[in-house]
Amino acid sequence: MRRLFLLLTLLALIGFVFQIQPTNGQTGSQLLQEFTINDSNLTKYPSVAGYNQTVYIGSGVSTNNTVSITDAMIWSMNEQATSVGSRFSIGVAKGQANFASVALATGNDGVVFAAWSSIDERRIWMSRRDPITGVWSSRREVASAAFPIFPQIAVSGNNQAFIIWQGVGTSLSLKIWNQSTNSFAGPYTTTQETYSSPPSISINASGQVGIGFTTKDLQAAVAIWNGSGFSTEILTGTVSAADVGVTVDTNGKFYAAWRSIGPGFYYAERQAPNSWSIVKFANGSGQGTANVIADAGGTIHLGWISDVSGALRGYYTYRQSGQSSFVTAVTANTTVLFNSRLAVSSGGAYAHFVAENFSVSPQKILYARFRGGTPQVTATPKIAGGTETIKGDTSVSVNFENPQGSPVSMIWRWNAAPTEAVNDSGGWQSFATTKTINVPSAVLTAASCTNPSTLYVQFRNASQVTGLVVSDSVIFDTDVTAFVVMTNPYTHDRPSTFTPLAAQLGDFSSDGGASDGHPSYTREQQIFIGMQGVNECSGLKTFAIGRTSTSFGEPMTITNNTFSNVQPVPGTFPVGSNQVWIKLTDGVGNEKTYSTTVIYDPNIPSFSGGSFTATPKPDATIMTTLNFSNILINDDYPGRHFWGVWLANSRTNNPTNTALVWYPIEAPGTTNSFTIQNWSLLSGLKASDISTGTYYVFARVLDGAGNPVPESAIMVATVNLTELTYPKVHLPIVVR
């Protein structure tokens, strides 16, 4: 461990100056945006990847302000954003920051793969972001080893993930994950041992793979995958080198870049096996990976860190396809940078640079965006102006912003890339910056809050040059989805916390009735309404109460996707059965109606006879069994004409004492005689009232609306306790 730290420290101190030469006739690059990601504490070896107009950034991060990494984090943003979105942990990563790094790569269908090291676990892990759902998979073990570090990853067109890593003084290792079999092949290893410097990996659309690494004796090397193993080519001779970047273009040509240990930064193009043309760009000192990328149009992009200006800054340049020279390099403003990575988006129109920013403490990710080469034929689709969630209609308006390369026609398809044979546009259509696009019924049927619908679009110009497929996603909210309760305003089933109202109702329980009853009854012209959005994409917005399915009062606003309170019922409310309706509206304008039948019963029931006894439990005298016999009530409540009883305890025989605490309890069974088990004689009493002696239990019969019989009909049962015993709780025996 100490030896590896020493090697890394020495390597960081050795570098060179880089100075790109001016170009002949090419338009230079430009720094477009630069900022530090504030919630990326303790970053080391950050990574970046791009797909269409989305940029993903990955790094190990400490979330608890310690000196160790805790999580593999991902950030994402639009390629032209001025700030990054919220970070997202894709899994645990444990250990010292130098050895707990995250690597990212994207596929041509929008899939994103991440690989990361968790050195305290001695593991390399992988996670995959599904291009349709946007959900990251649980972390999956790639490999375990004595000291696995510096993972890198590339993704082929058939969703194979090529994951590489190294150890200390070991060969470089490769495993290949196959989506169709959901399994790994490998590991495969290089014949050369590696130096403790991060490698790089690249793959083109044809599946050709190149790996750049530093050999143990400090030589720049490129390992080319042949389908079953590596053919490794050494690019340097007597001059030591490190931090090798590699890329392979669409035609299968390999490119590499590295820094010399000593003056010089080098760029190489492979002419034939073991034959490379090598150019020294400039003298000076630099630090970290020499990043090189060949985009789909053949433009070569370079990104690196150099102290040519007197401090370590990030630099970027490109060479347009068909040109012989690179444009004049541009630089980021922030200094004290280490260990950069580079990615491009929109076919090379933008280059995205990330590095460790040691000008802040603890170090964080520095992000810089540069203008790249001439982009492909493209435009940025914005469904409904970029709205995240919209109503599930059969067509949608799409804006196509920032058109590049003079598009004249376009083709599209929902939830998959279009082809001329399979598309939803009826073939190529004329380009317009605003287009009304039909939404197939199958797309709406499959839509959900967690399953955004993606529109894939491709453009071409008058010369039939076709650009890359671009996309935008939207959530179609096709219906109001909510859990709705309309019930007795006094029932125990309602929540204890109500939604605050601008005009709160008064103390409607002052009528002397019980705080419970049958859910379908009420003794006042009021009803409890509870609503909660369930998988409701746009959220509940308003509701209105009515007496028919077509006539409603003024809508009330719903906040936080929920409502819970008692509301007055509009209109005439005769005694007996009444229909009550509510109309719910969600955030995008979907509507749904709900109804219930409420029985209005304000009448006091009359008592015709009955009695009850209270018998203490032998093993717990404070607990009693209440036996009710032949309870006769005159009321409209169906069946036995009563719902339950109101119970209270006292040490004096005064059932009309206003200090009594009454508890409504639903009567079990269906007959006029019933039993209530485990009634506590201490319910509602003060501690000073608890002693041996006489206890009185009062019972008052309730109808379905919670109306009690008159006070004159209160029944009394007497219990004499010579000792107080309590229920026992028996815990299991634990033997240690």
Side-chain angles (χ1 to χ4, degrees):
M1 186 74 172
R2 181 175 297 173
R3 176 177 176 272
L4 178 60
F5 178 78
L6 178 60
L7 291 174
L8 288 173
T9 303
L10 289 174
L11 185 60
L13 294 175
I14 303 171
F16 57 88
V17 173
F18 189 112
Q19 183 179 359
I20 285 282
Q21 299 297 325
T23 63
N24 298 319
Q26 290 194 66
T27 302
S29 183
Q30 179 185 356
L31 175 66
L32 301 175
Q33 188 64 235
E34 181 177 346
F35 55 82
T36 296
I37 301 176
N38 291 323
D39 58 349
S40 60
N41 287 353
L42 217 64
T43 182
K44 288 293 292 183
Y45 305 106
S47 181
V48 62
Y51 174 73
N52 285 349
Q53 286 80 47
T54 302
V55 178
Y56 301 91
I57 298 171
S59 177
V61 168
S62 174
T63 60
N64 56 11
N65 296 318
T66 67
V67 296
S68 293
I69 295 300
T70 61
D71 292 76
M73 289 292 185
I74 302 295
W75 296 259
S76 64
M77 62 180 180
N78 181 270
E79 65 179 2
Q80 299 185 62
T82 57
S83 63
V84 74
S86 300
R87 68 187 185 184
F88 177 79
S89 175
I90 57 173
V92 173
K94 298 179 179 179
Q96 205 268 345
N98 278 309
F99 314 121
S101 58
V102 178
L104 294 176
T106 57
N108 59 14
D109 63 348
V111 67
V112 186
F113 279 86
W116 69 95
S117 52
S118 183
I119 198 62
D120 285 359
E121 297 175 289
R122 299 299 193 265
R123 297 288 191 275
I124 301 293
W125 300 96
M126 180 192 83
S127 180
R128 175 183 182 273
R129 182 185 183 273
D130 188 276
I132 301 300
T133 66
V135 176
W136 285 91
S137 65
S138 300
R139 70 173 188 168
R140 176 171 182 166
E141 181 178 317
V142 178
S144 62
F147 204 78
I149 55 176
F150 303 145
Q152 292 297 321
I153 188 168
V155 182
S156 68
N158 57 359
N159 264 343
Q160 283 186 314
F162 289 71
I163 302 171
I164 59 173
W165 69 94
Q166 330 180 158
V168 179
T170 65
S171 298
L172 183 144
S173 297
L174 164 71
K175 270 192 170 182
I176 304 171
W177 181 81
N178 191 298
Q179 180 180 2
S180 60
T181 61
N182 193 28
S183 61
F184 285 97
Y188 308 93
T189 58
T190 57
T191 56
Q192 291 83 6
E193 292 183 351
T194 61
Y195 185 77
S196 300
S197 174
S200 58
I201 184 169
S202 176
I203 189 168
N204 67 5
S206 301
Q208 294 169 287
V209 179
I211 296 171
F213 67 100
T214 307
T215 66
K216 188 176 182 179
D217 58 349
L218 294 176
Q219 296 295 306
V222 172
I224 298 174
W225 175 248
N226 60 23
S228 60
F230 296 108
S231 172
T232 301
E233 301 182 11
I234 305 299
L235 280 64
T236 50
T238 58
V239 178
S240 297
D243 297 327
V244 183
V246 69
T247 190
V248 53
D249 68 15
T250 55
N251 298 317
K253 185 174 183 177
F254 290 86
Y255 305 80
W258 64 91
R259 68 180 182 92
S260 172
I261 298 181
F265 184 95
Y266 292 82
Y267 166 79
E269 298 182 6
R270 187 174 187 256
Q271 307 301 318
N274 292 297
S275 175
W276 295 74
S277 62
I278 301 174
V279 176
K280 180 181 178 182
F281 277 84
N283 297 315
S285 62
Q287 199 285 328
T289 300
N291 301 285
V292 57
I293 295 173
D295 68 28
T299 296
I300 305 298
H301 307 258
L302 293 172
W304 69 98
I305 293 173
S306 170
D307 70 353
V308 68
S309 64
L312 289 169
R313 283 188 168 91
Y315 284 79
Y316 167 74
T317 185
Y318 67 86
R319 186 188 68 195
Q320 191 75 38
S321 177
Q323 298 291 325
S324 60
S325 302
F326 286 85
V327 301
T328 303
V330 291
T331 177
N333 296 315
T334 305
T335 61
V336 198
L337 302 183
F338 295 83
N339 297 314
S340 67
R341 290 287 169 171
L342 187 71
V344 297
S345 65
S346 284
Y350 301 100
H352 308 275
F353 178 97
V354 294
E356 304 160 7
N357 180 5
F358 273 80
S359 68
V360 294
S361 181
Q363 72 270 19
K364 306 177 190 296
I365 297 172
L366 184 280
Y367 167 82
R369 180 167 62 249
F370 300 96
R371 186 180 305 282
T374 302
Q376 296 286 325
V377 182
T378 189
T380 303
K382 291 288 183 68
I383 301 174
T387 305
E388 181 178 344
T389 303
I390 63 175
K391 191 174 182 180
D393 289 330
T394 57
S395 65
V396 63
S397 178
V398 182
N399 296 330
F400 295 96
E401 301 177 354
N402 192 31
Q404 306 272 341
S406 304
V408 297
S409 59
M410 55 193 295
I411 191 171
W412 63 84
R413 186 181 177 192
W414 288 97
N415 294 332
T419 66
E420 292 193 356
V422 183
N423 57 77
D424 293 323
S425 55
W428 290 94
Q429 304 294 323
S430 60
F431 172 77
T433 55
T434 301
K435 204 88 168 174
T436 299
I437 291 179
N438 291 333
V439 183
S441 59
V443 173
L444 297 177
T445 300
S448 72
C449 300
T450 57
N451 185 27
S453 301
T454 301
L455 178 67
Y456 293 89
V457 188
Q458 195 170 29
F459 306 90
R460 66 185 182 188
N461 62 17
S463 301
Q464 306 298 298
V465 174
T466 303
L468 298 175
V469 175
V470 296
S471 66
D472 190 30
S473 297
V474 72
I475 294 173
F476 285 117
D477 188 344
T478 59
D479 195 11
V480 174
T481 54
F483 175 74
V484 176
V485 173
M486 291 183 282
T487 189
N488 185 340
Y490 299 100
T491 182
H492 274 329
D493 292 338
R494 70 185 187 193
S496 59
T497 303
F498 283 178
T499 301
L501 301 176
Q504 187 72 30
L505 292 170
D507 184 6
F508 52 83
S509 61
S510 62
D511 62 353
S515 58
D516 204 355
H518 191 282
S520 297
Y521 279 71
T522 180
R523 58 179 180 268
E524 297 197 22
Q525 192 170 340
Q526 297 165 348
I527 188 172
F528 170 81
I529 298 175
M531 293 168 286
Q532 174 69 54
V534 179
N535 297 324
E536 171 51 58
C537 304
S538 58
L540 302 181
K541 183 178 181 181
T542 65
F543 79 98
I545 306 174
R547 298 303 304 280
T548 70
S549 62
T550 58
S551 178
F552 295 90
E554 287 295 316
M556 296 183 62
T557 300
I558 301 173
T559 57
N560 299 323
N561 209 30
T562 186
F563 180 88
S564 174
N565 213 317
V566 175
Q567 290 291 290
V569 178
T572 304
F573 204 60
V575 174
S577 179
N578 292 270
Q579 196 83 358
V580 179
W581 291 77
I582 64 169
K583 179 171 66 176
L584 267 179
T585 304
D586 66 13
V588 298
N590 293 309
E591 293 182 351
K592 182 178 284 188
T593 57
Y594 302 80
S595 68
T596 191
T597 299
V598 178
I599 298 173
Y600 176 46
D601 180 10
N603 299 319
I604 302 298
S606 61
F607 182 76
S608 300
S611 62
F612 83 107
T613 61
T615 305
K617 301 278 187 180
D619 54 349
T621 57
I622 67 164
M623 306 302 294
T624 61
T625 299
L626 307 182
N627 290 300
F628 290 82
S629 301
N630 300 318
I631 303 300
L632 300 177
I633 298 295
N634 183 22
D635 191 82
D636 290 333
Y637 190 77
R640 54 190 175 180
H641 304 300
F642 62 89
W643 171 83
V645 290
W646 225 356
L647 300 177
N649 294 319
S650 179
R651 296 304 304 273
T652 61
N653 191 6
N654 181 9
T656 61
N657 183 356
T658 57
L660 293 176
V661 180
W662 292 88
Y663 298 89
I665 296 179
E666 185 176 2
T670 59
T671 66
N672 293 71
S673 298
F674 56 91
T675 298
I676 295 176
Q677 299 284 353
N678 299 318
W679 169 255
S680 173
L681 294 175
L682 307 187
S683 296
L685 297 184
K686 296 179 292 185
S688 58
D689 294 332
I690 301 172
S691 64
T692 57
T694 302
Y695 287 76
Y696 298 92
V697 182
F698 305 125
R700 197 171 179 183
V701 182
L702 301 170
D703 67 9
N707 296 304
V709 296
E711 289 184 341
S712 60
I714 296 176
M715 297 178 286
V716 182
T718 303
V719 179
N720 293 306
L721 297 182
T722 57
E723 63 174 343
L724 294 176
T725 58
Y726 298 85
K728 293 181 175 60
V729 177
H730 298 281
L731 297 176
I733 297 175
V734 178
V735 178
R736 295 185 181 274

